[in-house]
Amino acid sequence: MKRNILLFFSAISILTFSACKSGPGNSKTQIEAKEIPIDSTISADKEIEDYIAPYKEHLNETLDTPIAYNPTVLSKGEKGMNTGIGNLMADIVMEQSNPVFENRTGNSIDFVLLNYGGIRAELNKGDITTRDAYNMMPFENQIVIAELSGKKVKDLLSYLEKGKSAHPVSGIKINMDKDYHITEASVNGQKINESQNYFIATSDYLQQGGDSMNFFKDPVNLYNIDYKLRNAIIDYFEKTDTITATQDDRFIKE
């Protein structure tokens, strides 16, 4: 470790010296780089290890302290167009984000759409910790609310037909026939109206076209509520004693 640090600062010194020499009357010199692997051939520095030990212990204690209880395994491997863990994530976004959105704009979120691939880990039965939230959502994705026209919501539904995947939703009810054609879609008990705008919560990754969800691009309005998806999950776990999440009838196929 110390050897690497010395090499690192030596390299910085060389670059700095070279940079100082650049200018009128001076010519640039060639800069060479060398990769220095940090692996088992390098001995640990006990002084540094002892220095970071209490911080490491405190971090692990924070990550591994139980904050909720999960009575059953939740996996995205469940068959069908919705999964217990996907429903949980979408419902968390709705429950945690809507009060913030309402306070800031006076409007309510109509529904939530996330992506199946965004569920990065299952939830085991037993105690749930902050580390579990990091495993479920290791990325720094922010929750955003896109105001879309009814026509773009129809594009969203066409995307779900072609995707044939259990993308997590909340606040919308979708029925498909056996060929994955949507036969009915409703929000708050009403069919999708092309002349109406809808407020849809999702992640900033998807809003920017991730997973080819291009219907999120160029929304009527876009609201960033400064709330990370992972933090919403942690906040929900901290206020929930026992998690309840199952497959239901929100997104089904014949």
Side-chain angles (χ1 to χ4, degrees):
M1 179 72 75
K2 185 178 291 183
R3 174 172 169 267
N4 286 335
I5 293 174
L6 290 173
L7 289 171
F8 172 76
F9 282 111
S10 297
I12 292 294
S13 299
I14 292 170
L15 291 173
T16 303
F17 179 71
S18 299
C20 290
K21 289 186 66 177
S22 298
N26 294 317
S27 61
K28 293 183 179 179
T29 57
Q30 183 176 3
I31 297 176
E32 296 181 351
K34 178 183 179 182
E35 183 178 356
I36 303 173
I38 300 176
D39 53 28
S40 59
T41 62
I42 300 175
S43 300
D45 187 297
K46 188 175 185 310
E47 183 179 353
I48 295 177
E49 282 199 324
D50 290 344
Y51 179 78
I52 67 174
Y55 300 99
K56 182 179 180 182
E57 182 179 353
H58 176 71
L59 178 61
N60 285 332
E61 182 179 348
T62 300
L63 289 175
D64 295 329
T65 298
I67 53 178
Y69 179 77
N70 181 31
T72 183
V73 175
L74 293 176
S75 167
K76 71 175 186 178
E78 297 170 320
K79 293 182 179 178
M81 297 305 290
N82 71 87
T83 64
I85 193 168
N87 294 345
L88 174 66
M89 289 184 68
D91 289 344
I92 287 175
V93 171
M94 176 67 87
E95 181 169 329
Q96 296 298 121
S97 301
N98 199 43
V100 180
F101 184 60
E102 286 183 336
N103 286 337
R104 294 190 182 185
T105 68
N107 296 307
S108 298
I109 295 170
D110 289 300
F111 66 93
V112 176
L113 173 64
L114 302 175
N115 61 326
Y116 180 78
I119 307 171
R120 308 304 290 188
E122 65 180 24
L123 269 184
N124 293 322
K125 178 181 178 180
D127 290 334
I128 299 301
T129 67
T130 302
R131 191 185 297 278
D132 291 311
Y134 272 82
N135 290 336
M136 288 174 65
M137 178 43 63
F139 310 116
E140 300 298 310
N141 293 152
Q142 296 277 347
I143 296 171
V144 297
I145 292 87
E147 182 179 359
L148 298 186
S149 65
K151 185 178 181 307
K152 281 210 168 184
V153 172
K154 290 290 183 71
D155 293 339
L156 179 157
L157 296 176
S158 296
Y159 173 91
L160 295 178
E161 287 181 328
K162 295 174 183 174
K164 304 176 182 178
S165 184
H167 292 302
V169 297
S170 179
I172 187 171
K173 189 170 181 179
I174 302 168
N175 293 333
M176 287 179 161
D177 64 20
K178 59 183 177 59
D179 296 319
Y180 293 92
H181 296 141
I182 292 178
T183 56
E184 185 177 356
S186 61
V187 175
N188 298 320
Q190 302 294 321
K191 292 184 178 179
I192 305 300
N193 184 346
E194 287 198 15
S195 63
Q196 178 182 337
N197 289 349
Y198 294 85
F199 297 102
I200 304 156
T202 187
S203 72
D204 57 347
Y205 165 73
L206 297 176
Q207 190 281 316
Q208 293 165 14
D211 277 14
S212 299
M213 292 193 182
N214 296 319
F215 49 83
F216 275 131
K217 292 182 177 178
D218 302 318
V220 177
N221 285 298
L222 181 65
Y223 304 88
N224 188 336
I225 59 172
D226 308 308
Y227 202 2
K228 289 183 180 178
L229 181 51
R230 182 177 57 243
N231 289 348
I233 295 172
I234 294 171
D235 290 344
Y236 178 83
F237 285 167
E238 287 182 337
K239 73 177 189 181
T240 304
D241 179 78
T242 303
I243 293 170
T244 55
T246 59
Q247 289 180 291
D248 55 28
D249 62 349
R250 70 183 67 187
F251 188 10
I252 58 175
K253 182 179 80 70
E254 290 180 6

